[in-house]
Structure formats: structure tokens, C-alpha cells
């Protein structure tokens, strides 16, 4: 029989043995965790999941790797950054696609450093589970503690377009905008014809774009622009040309960008002319005969043209151009100061011109100059206002005698309005104007004629009655019945070629008085642009702005051929005074009642 004290000693021995065994297991387990760092997956199949915009901290042994997974969507930008207390390049980070294949840094983007800490970034090309691999240099003497941060960036609708094979097709002349990072590459494509000239301008906000590279249809590089601007690169073949944009940024930075690529189509019509469209400049070289370009316009559409002499070294050389309508007639407005209009000068390498189309059809721009002269030709079109074309009296917009009308003119535009007046009616025209240049208001009589296309006369010429600067009032009296014309045009003292691309908004109000006692011509305010000779002929009478013509006055019921004179007399018909007639009638009725009453009294009193 075992006593209690002996039993206690046995239990103590057993407990000591169990404790020693358990202690050995615990020590072994701790040593394994510290030496092999098995808390994070050592292969991509054992990777630990990490959330986007998440951060994890861990410790890694020299020569080992920690793997993480993150779910991503195509077109997103992914950035993985390591922070550690290890100096030098002790810890690195790399990205892998869903197949476990390394995502190679594209040209211009890399697995770089930010503030001395490793960073890796990429644009995700397909949706799925991606991998982040953290490594430690095997030359390290011991474990390294690190912090891993993973974040995503929303880029733009074009991504992913990181390679030539992913280039996004764009329309020449359209503005393309997007967002870029250091690791983001942008590839775009345009279709072009052999001989076309490619031009491109870029704008960057928040950083700067790196070189712009152009690749031919065979994928070979044909041009690089270090400043981000491509100026008229001649394209050698038909096909698809790829444009590559890269950003010059620090890791984790982003920028907004935009660019416009234009090509000059070499399409020709039956006359051999090159077609030109707004926003797509054409570069060419002059020949011994005029070089022609065509553009289709609709009636009332405005066309402005700019011709630039490129690489001019001799200031005596000049280029010029003309505009012809569908019938072949030369058209185009000419400013009062014609320097730089339709022809370059020693002081300027660019000539401008413009016209408002008076008919729908194909218009031709002909460029002339010394042979082998390089030039750039560009055009812009605009629907100026609803009244165009109303450049001449024959196409004038009709208006009522008492009305307000608003419109817009450009430096090459003239707006003409027409109203019917009776001889002797006085009309006041009030005007307001605001815009890029000073305007003028002119009045022409019933015999106003059209001005030639190259006339520098902004009024109605010899048929002008009067004129005033824009913003002034005009008052005049019609000296004959007919159609009178009002013209809003650039002020002749400031009209010049640079104004062709500017515009003015205006409003004119007309007020007609029917006072026909006098006929005169005058301006309501002092005017400074009245022509030197302003005459209006009516039969054998000439009226000038300073004269007053007295008209015969006729009685309301007489014809104008029988005027009243001072010695004539008229017979008036007698008229009844209404007040006297009413009193007389009242008295007669009162007398009748009195008579009847007297008779009745006499009968009642027995009289016979």
C-alpha cells in the first residue's frame, strides 16, 4: 500500500518529465519561426492576400522571398513600394501577372526608388489576381524588417495601351486627353497616306512629357521629337502610324495631358487640287504654276485662310493666294489696310484672307510664289450669324422700319440690311457694337450698287448717304420712295489683315417717323467718317448732308399735283352747334307739355 507522501513524490517526478518534454517542443517551434520566417508565403502558390491601398509589415531572411496576391482590373495602375530600415539595396519588390510571369518595366517606367525606397509600378493589362514579390539580398547578414504598401491609380479610358500592338486609333484633328504616371506608356495610331505630313502638339499639366516617337507601318521608328512637338514630318508609306508618348515623372506622380495630331491628306479631285479641311494644315512647295487646294462650303459659311512662308531667308521673297467660288470667280474681302492680306510682305511671313460663301459648292484656294518655296496653308470655317450671306445690296436682309436686329461680323464680313421708306419719312438708326475691333455703320440710297470683291471701300461708294462709327446714331430723311440700305462693316481707319480672325457683336435699332414736311439728310451725332462726296440724286435735285429740301404741302384730300398756294381759298360747309340744338329741342318739348296741361285745366273748369 502506498502512502500519501510517497504518492506525492511520484506525481512530482511525472510532472517534471512532462514539463521538460513540452519545453523542448516550445523551444524548437520558436527557433523554426525565427530562422525560416514561415509567416508569409514563400512561393506564389502560397502567397498571402493583401488588399489594395493596404499595408503589411514583416521580416524576411537573406536570399528569401515573400509573396502576396492582389485582385486588379485591366486599365488600373498598380504601385508597390517597400520601406525598410535596411540601408542600400537590401530589399526589392517586383510584380507578376496572373500566370506568374514577371511584368517587365516598359520603356520610361521601371522598378525604381522613391526617397531611397524601392518602388515597382505597372498598368494592368488584364483583370485577375496579380502577385507582388518581396526579396532580400542574399548578401545580407541577417533578417530585414519591411513595410509593403500597395495602391492603385485610376488612369484614363485609353488604358491599357502600353505597346504598339495596343495602340488606340484616333481621328486626325481631334483633341485627345488622358492621365499618365511614371510607369504608364501611351500608344496611339493614325491612318495616313504616303506623302502626308504629320504634325503634333502636346500640353502637360502637373509635369512634363518625355520625347514623342513616331513609328511607321512596319513598326520601325521614323521620328523622335524631344520637345513633344512634331512639325510636318513627311510620311513615306500608306498605312497605320503609331505615336508613342511617355511621361518624365517621379515615381507615384501623375499628370494630365492633351495633344492633337493632324495629317494632310493627299486626296486629289479631278483638277489635281489637294483637298483641305479645317484644323488640318497642308504643307506644300510651290511650282511654276499655281498650286490649288479645295474646300467645300455651304451658303452663308465663313472661311478664313492663313498662308505661311516657311523657312524664309530672303525677305524679298513673297507668297500669295486667291479664293475662287464654285463658278471660278475670284472672291474675298479686302481690308482698308491691305498689308498682309492675301500676300506676304517683307515684314511678315503670314498672309490672311477670308470670304463669306454666297453659294454652296467647292471653293478653290490658289497659292503662287517663286518655285520651290515651302509653305503651310490652314483654313477655319464658321457660321457667323443667321443673316449671312448678306454682303451686298442684292443679298441684303430685309427689315421693318421700326425694329431691332442683332448680328455678328468678322474682319472679312459685311452685313447689309434693307428697309422700305416713303419720300419724306425720317429714320433714326441707333447702333451698339462690342468685340475685337471698331465697326462702322453706313447708309446707302435706292441706287446702291455692289462693291467688287477686292474693293477697299467699306461704305456704298458714290451711293453712300452718310455713315458713323459703330455705337453712334444716324438720322436721315428719305428724299425719294424706295429701298434704303444699312451696312455694318469694320471701321475703315482700323480695318487690317490681323482683324480677319476677330469678330464684333452688334445691335441696330431703327425708328421711322412719318413727318413729311421736310426732306433732309443728317446724322444724329457728330460723325467723323462721312465720305468726302456724299450725294443722293432724285431726278434733277441733288441733296447733300448739309442741305434741306422743302417739299410741297398738299391738303389731305388733294392730289400732290395740285398744291395749295398762299392765295387759294376753300369753302367750308356750315356745321350745327350740338349744344344749341339740344337746348332748342328741350324747350319745344316743355312748351308742348305746358299747352296740353292748360287745355286739360280749361275743360275741367267747364270751359268749352
Amino acid at each position: 500500500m502506498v502512502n500519501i507522501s510517497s504518492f506525492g513524490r511520484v506525481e512530482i517526478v511525472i510532472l517534471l518529465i512532462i514539463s521538460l518534454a513540452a519545453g523542448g517542443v516550445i523551444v524548437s517551434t520558436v527557433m523554426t519561426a525565427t530562422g525560416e520566417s514561415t509567416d508569409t508565403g514563400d512561393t506564389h502558390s502560397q502567397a498571402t492576400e493583401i488588399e489594395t491601398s493596404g499595408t503589411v509589415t514583416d521580416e524576411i531572411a537573406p536570399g528569401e522571398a515573400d509573396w502576396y496576391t492582389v485582385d486588379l482590373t485591366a486599365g488600373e495602375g498598380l504601385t508597390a513600394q517597400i520601406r525598410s530600415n535596411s540601408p542600400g539595396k537590401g530589399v526589392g519588390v517586383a510584380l507578376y501577372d496572373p500566370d506568374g510571369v514577371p511584368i517587365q518595366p516598359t520603356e520610361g517606367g521601371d522598378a525604381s526608388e522613391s526617397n531611397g525606397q524601392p518602388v515597382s509600378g505597372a498598368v494592368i493589362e488584364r483583370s485577375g489576381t496579380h502577385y507582388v514579390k518581396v526579396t532580400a539580398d542574399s548578401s545580407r547578414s541577417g533578417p530585414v524588417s519591411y513595410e509593403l504598401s500597395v495602391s492603385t491609380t485610376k488612369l484614363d479610358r485609353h488604358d491599357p495601351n502600353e505597346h504598339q500592338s495596343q495602340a488606340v486609333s484616333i481621328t486626325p484633328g481631334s483633341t485627345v486627353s488622358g492621365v499618365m504616371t511614371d510607369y504608364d506608356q501611351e500608344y496611339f495610331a493614325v491612318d495616313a497616306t504616303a506623302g502626308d505630313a504629320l504634325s503634333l502638339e502636346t500640353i502637360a499639366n502637373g509635369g512634363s512629357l518625355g520625347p514623342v516617337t513616331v513609328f511607321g507601318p512596319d513598326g520601325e521608328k521614323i521620328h523622335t521629337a524631344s520637345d513633344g512637338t512634331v512639325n510636318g514630318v513627311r510620311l513615306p508609306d500608306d498605312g497605320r502610324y503609331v505615336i508613342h508618348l511617355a511621361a518624365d515623372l517621379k515615381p507615384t506622380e501623375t499628370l494630365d495631358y492633351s495633344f492633337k495630331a493632324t495629317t494632310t491628306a493627299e486626296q486629289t479631285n479631278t483638277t489635281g487640287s489637294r483637298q483641305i479641311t479645317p484644323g488640318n494644315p497642308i504643307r506644300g512647295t510651290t511650282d511654276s504654276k499655281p498650286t490649288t487646294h479645295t474646300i467645300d462650303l455651304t451658303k452663308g459659311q465663313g472661311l478664313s485662310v492663313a498662308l505661311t512662308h516657311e523657312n524664309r531667308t530672303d525677305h524679298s521673297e513673297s507668297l500669295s493666294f486667291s479664293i475662287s467660288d464654285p463658278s471660278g470667280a475670284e472672291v474675298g474681302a479686302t481690308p482698308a489696310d491691305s498689308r498682309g492680306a492675301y500676300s506676304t510682305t517683307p515684314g511678315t511671313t503670314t498672309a490672311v484672307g477670308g470670304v463669306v460663301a454666297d453659294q454652296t459648292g467647292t471653293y478653290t484656294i490658289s497659292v503662287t510664289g517663286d518655285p520651290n518655296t515651302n509653305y503651310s496653308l490652314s483654313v477655319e470655317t464658321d457660321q457667323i450669324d443667321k443673316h449671312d450671306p448678306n454682303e451686298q445690296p442684292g443679298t441684303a436682309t430685309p427689315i421693318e422700319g421700326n425694329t431691332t436686329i442683332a448680328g455678328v461680323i468678322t474682319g472679312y464680313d459685311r452685313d447689309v440690311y434693307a428697309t422700305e421708306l416713303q419720300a419724306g419719312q425720317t429714320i433714326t438708326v441707333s447702333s451698339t457694337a462690342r468685340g475685337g475691333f471698331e465697326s462702322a455703320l453706313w447708309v446707302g440710297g435706292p441706287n446702291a450698287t455692289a462693291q467688287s470683291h477686292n474693293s477697299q471701300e467699306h461704305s456704298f461708294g458714290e451711293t453712300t448717304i452718310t455713315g458713323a462709327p459703330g455705337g453712334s446714331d444716324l438720322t436721315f430723311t428719305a428724299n425719294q420712295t424706295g429701298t434704303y440700305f444699312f451696312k455694318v462693316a469694320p471701321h475703315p481707319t482700323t480695318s487690317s489683315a490681323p482683324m480677319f480672325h476677330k469678330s464684333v457683336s452688334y445691335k441696330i435699332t431703327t425708328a421711322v417717323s412719318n413727318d413729311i414736311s421736310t426732306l433732309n439728310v443728317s446724322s444724329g451725332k457728330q460723325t467723323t467718317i462721312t465720305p468726302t462726296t456724299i450725294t443722293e440724286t432724285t431726278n434733277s435735285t441733288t441733296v447733300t448732308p448739309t442741305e434741306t429740301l422743302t417739299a410741297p404741302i398738299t391738303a389731305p384730300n388733294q392730289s400732290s399735283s395740285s398744291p395749295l398756294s398762299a392765295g387759294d381759298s376753300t369753302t367750308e360747309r356750315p356745321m350745327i352747334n350740338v349744344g344749341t340744338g339740344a337746348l332748342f329741342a328741350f324747350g319745344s318739348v316743355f312748351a308742348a307739355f305746358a299747352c296740353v296741361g292748360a287745355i286739360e285745366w280749361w275743360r275741367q273748369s267747364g270751359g268749352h
Side-chain angles (χ1 to χ4, degrees), residues 108 157 210 245:
R157 62 187 178 88
L245 306 180

Side-chain angles (χ1 to χ4, degrees), residues 26 34 98 174 263 300 351 358 389 507 598:
I26 293 172
T34 303
S174 62
T263 59
D358 61 358
K507 183 182 292 184

Side-chain angles (χ1 to χ4, degrees), residues 371-540:
N372 301 317
T373 300
N374 295 324
Y375 68 85
S376 172
L377 182 71
S378 62
V379 298
E380 295 295 338
T381 58
D382 190 19
Q383 194 66 46
I384 304 172
D385 64 34
K386 64 180 181 180
H387 311 300
D388 286 306
N390 59 341
E391 317 305 295
Q392 304 285 358
T395 57
T397 301
I399 59 175
E400 298 295 329
N402 294 280
T403 191
T404 296
I405 194 165
V408 177
I409 60 170
T410 64
Y412 58 83
D413 185 21
R414 318 283 187 263
D415 285 354
V416 181
Y417 299 92
T419 189
E420 300 294 327
L421 295 176
Q422 299 294 318
Q425 285 185 315
T426 298
I427 186 169
T428 297
V429 184
S430 303
S431 67
T432 58
R434 180 179 59 186
F437 54 85
E438 187 177 2
S439 63
L441 177 65
W442 301 95
V443 179
N447 55 348
T449 58
Q451 301 292 310
S452 64
H453 76 91
N454 59 356
S455 173
Q456 295 174 257
E457 176 61 70
H458 285 53
S459 64
F460 292 100
E462 294 182 354
T463 60
T464 301
I465 295 177
T466 188
S472 298
D473 299 345
L474 290 176
T475 298
F476 74 95
T477 302
N479 51 23
Q480 62 175 308
T481 297
T483 304
Y484 287 77
F485 301 94
F486 311 97
K487 179 190 288 188
V488 182
H491 195 290
T493 62
T494 58
S495 174
S496 61
M499 289 166 38
F500 269 31
H501 299 288
K502 298 180 180 180
S503 63
V504 166
S505 299
Y506 66 85
K507 183 182 292 184
I508 58 176
T509 301
T510 60
V512 177
S513 170
N514 291 317
D515 182 5
I516 60 172
S517 60
T518 60
L519 301 181
N520 58 54
V521 179
S522 63
S523 58
K525 294 183 180 180
Q526 291 184 350
T527 60
T528 59
I529 60 173
T530 303
T532 53
T533 302
I534 304 176
T535 60
E536 182 67 26
T537 304
T538 62
N539 297 330
S540 60

Side-chain angles (χ1 to χ4, degrees), residues 78-450:
L78 171 66
T79 301
Q81 183 170 8
I82 288 288
R83 294 179 175 86
S84 74
N85 56 5
S86 174
K89 296 184 178 296
V91 181
V93 62
L95 305 177
Y96 290 75
D97 68 14
D99 296 327
V101 177
I103 299 176
Q104 298 296 328
T106 53
E107 182 182 354
D110 59 0
S112 55
E113 293 189 354
S114 175
N115 296 323
Q117 305 296 338
V119 177
S120 186
V123 175
I124 303 307
E125 298 186 23
R126 61 189 176 110
S127 300
T129 300
H130 287 64
Y131 301 91
V132 180
K133 180 183 179 181
V134 179
T135 57
D137 195 323
S138 60
S139 64
R140 301 293 304 174
S141 60
V144 178
S145 297
Y146 67 85
E147 179 183 272
L148 171 65
S149 298
V150 175
S151 62
T152 57
T153 302
K154 183 176 178 59
L155 298 174
D156 56 51
R157 62 187 178 88
H158 310 300
D159 287 303
N161 59 335
E162 311 308 297
H163 313 283
Q164 288 194 48
S165 60
Q166 297 175 323
V168 176
S169 296
I170 59 174
T171 302
S174 62
T175 299
V176 180
S177 59
V179 179
M180 294 184 69
T181 66
D182 172 57
Y183 53 79
D184 186 16
Q185 309 298 301
E186 304 283 54
Y187 285 85
F188 299 93
V190 294
D191 293 323
T193 304
D196 281 1
L198 173 67
S199 298
L200 184 142
E201 294 182 358
T202 59
I203 299 174
N205 297 315
S208 62
L209 287 172
V212 174
T213 306
V214 181
F215 298 89
D218 59 359
E220 294 297 320
K221 184 187 301 183
I222 65 172
H223 182 77
T224 299
S226 59
D227 61 354
T229 301
V230 178
N231 291 315
V233 173
R234 196 66 64 179
L235 305 180
D237 303 302
D238 293 351
R240 191 169 188 253
Y241 287 80
V242 174
I243 300 166
H244 172 228
L245 306 180
D248 184 12
L249 296 171
K250 296 178 181 179
T252 72
E253 287 184 338
T254 62
L255 69 77
D256 297 326
Y257 72 89
S258 65
F259 74 92
K260 178 187 291 187
T262 58
T263 59
T264 56
E266 288 288 343
Q267 300 172 355
T268 59
N269 56 24
T270 56
T271 64
S273 299
R274 296 171 63 184
Q275 294 179 339
I276 186 170
T277 56
N280 293 310
I282 282 182
R283 283 176 169 80
T285 303
T286 57
D287 201 347
S288 57
K289 57 183 180 180
T291 304
T292 57
H293 309 270
T294 59
I295 182 171
D296 293 330
L297 300 176
T298 57
K299 184 177 181 179
Q301 196 171 23
L303 170 69
S304 61
V305 182
L307 173 68
T308 299
H309 189 161
E310 294 190 329
N311 305 320
R312 185 176 72 174
T313 57
D314 186 351
H315 293 285
S316 65
E317 295 179 348
S318 66
L319 281 172
S320 61
F321 71 93
S322 61
I323 306 173
S324 301
D325 67 14
S327 67
E330 190 170 338
V331 294
T334 303
D337 182 354
S338 61
R339 291 173 297 178
Y342 303 96
S343 180
T344 60
T345 68
T348 177
T349 58
T350 299
V352 299
V355 67
V356 177
D358 61 358
Q359 57 183 301
T360 297
T362 300
Y363 286 69
T364 302
I365 304 169
S366 301
V367 179
T368 58
D370 294 331
N372 301 317
T373 300
N374 295 324
Y375 68 85
S376 172
L377 182 71
S378 62
V379 298
E380 295 295 338
T381 58
D382 190 19
Q383 194 66 46
I384 304 172
D385 64 34
K386 64 180 181 180
H387 311 300
D388 286 306
N390 59 341
E391 317 305 295
Q392 304 285 358
T395 57
T397 301
I399 59 175
E400 298 295 329
N402 294 280
T403 191
T404 296
I405 194 165
V408 177
I409 60 170
T410 64
Y412 58 83
D413 185 21
R414 318 283 187 263
D415 285 354
V416 181
Y417 299 92
T419 189
E420 300 294 327
L421 295 176
Q422 299 294 318
Q425 285 185 315
T426 298
I427 186 169
T428 297
V429 184
S430 303
S431 67
T432 58
R434 180 179 59 186
F437 54 85
E438 187 177 2
S439 63
L441 177 65
W442 301 95
V443 179
N447 55 348
T449 58

